[in-house]
Structure formats: C-alpha cells, structure tokens
C-alpha cells in the first residue's frame, strides 16, 4: 500500500535557470525561471501555501572541479534562499537530492505521464526529481501509478 503524496509537492533544480516542478491535487506543472524571478516565485508560493507545501531540491556539492562543471553561482546560492523561505513560511523542507537521485525516474516515464517539457532541461530535471522522490517514498498517486504501469 502506498501513502498519499504531500498536499503540495514542489521540486527545484537550482542553476542559471531554476527548474520548477510541482504536483497539487493531481495537477502537474513545470517551468524555468532566472535567479531573481525564481526567488520571487518561490516566496509567493511559500507564502500562499505555508506548511502544506513540501519543497525538495537538487543538492549542489562544491568540489575542486565544481567551477568546471557549472560556472553558475545560482546553483549554490539558491539552496540558501530555499531554506530561508521554507523556514520563514513554515513549509516542509525535504532532504536535498543528489543529481543522480533523479535517475530513478526516466524521461520515458515523464513522457508517459505527460510531464515532459521539451527544451526546458532544468524543468525536466526537477520533474524527474519529483517523480523519483515519490517513487522512493512510495507515494505515487494511483492514477499516475497506472499510467506508469501501462508504459512499461
């Protein structure tokens, strides 16, 4: 038996363009925004939903080679914004995910669910993280589980 997903689930993939993916009452959405717009959108969302909002994000680990991987300071600045706003508005902050954690959900699964966002790589990454988290937590809603089963 699986648990129900949180009332409002939001996953973020921080970077020069921050990917957003959310699930609210069975309705999925995804988009991307630049740093300051992403901050504004996240604050608006946190303020509106408070403790009902569960927020996850992709961890950015700083290593000696990090600057070669991503020269985007937003990738390591935005998690601080997420943590601050989650605390300010009493949202539920989920454990950050490693970039590879999203691989538990495939592009084929996103396409089967209608969650594929062509040309929006950061939104797709956030979508993969959202689905991968629900699979790990065993809280994929039954209607989505059926679509995934049919796609196999």
């Amino acid at each position: 038996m699986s648990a129900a997903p949180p009332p409002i689930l939001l996953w973020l993939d921080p970077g020069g363009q921050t990917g957003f993916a959310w699930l609210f009452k069975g309705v999925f959405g995804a988009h991307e925004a630049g740093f300051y717009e992403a901050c504004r959108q996240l604050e608006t969302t946190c303020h509106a939903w408070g403790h009902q909002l569960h927020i996850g994000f992709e961890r950015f680990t700083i290593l000696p080679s990090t600057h070669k991987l991503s020269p985007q300071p937003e990738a390591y600045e935005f998690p601080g914004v997420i943590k601050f706003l989650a605390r300010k508005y009493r949202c539920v902050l989920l454990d950050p995910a490693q970039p590879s954690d999203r691989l538990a959900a495939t592009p084929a699964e996103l396409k089967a669910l209608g969650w594929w966002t062509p040309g929006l790589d950061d939104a797709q990454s956030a979508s993969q993280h959202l689905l991968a988290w629900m699979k790990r937590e065993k809280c994929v809603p039954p209607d989505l589980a059926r679509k995934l089963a049919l796609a196999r």
Side-chain angles (χ1 to χ4, degrees):
M1 177 132 161
S2 59
I8 307 162
L9 181 57
L10 171 66
W11 267 92
L12 302 158
D13 180 12
Q17 286 292 304
T18 292
F20 285 71
W22 63 90
L23 188 64
F24 171 62
K25 294 187 178 182
V27 177
F28 169 81
H31 74 279
E32 297 177 350
F35 182 76
Y36 294 106
E37 179 60 19
C39 291
R40 188 194 66 72
Q41 289 177 16
L42 180 60
E43 181 160 31
T44 299
T45 303
C46 289
H47 181 260
W49 298 106
H51 69 277
Q52 294 181 76
L53 178 63
H54 289 59
I55 306 170
F57 64 94
E58 182 177 292
R59 176 189 312 267
F60 186 80
T61 304
I62 298 175
L63 304 167
S65 62
T66 296
H67 72 282
K68 296 175 189 170
L69 299 174
S70 176
Q72 306 166 19
E74 298 87 354
Y76 57 83
E77 293 171 344
F78 199 65
V81 173
I82 296 167
K83 291 175 186 178
F84 172 77
L85 293 174
R87 182 176 180 135
K88 179 179 179 181
Y89 294 105
R90 295 183 171 90
C91 304
V92 177
L93 191 59
L94 305 173
D95 290 333
Q98 292 296 337
S100 62
D101 289 348
R102 74 177 180 268
L103 301 178
T106 67
E109 289 175 317
L110 295 182
K111 289 175 184 175
L113 295 175
W115 291 12
W116 187 251
T117 51
L120 299 178
D121 293 344
D122 296 304
Q124 287 174 358
S125 175
S127 301
Q128 273 186 275
H129 274 296
L130 186 144
L131 181 57
W133 183 86
M134 289 193 308
K135 289 169 75 175
R136 283 192 305 275
E137 297 298 315
K138 297 179 177 35
C139 66
V140 177
D143 60 322
L144 299 182
R146 280 190 292 280
K147 287 181 183 178
L148 292 173
L150 288 173
R152 287 190 193 107

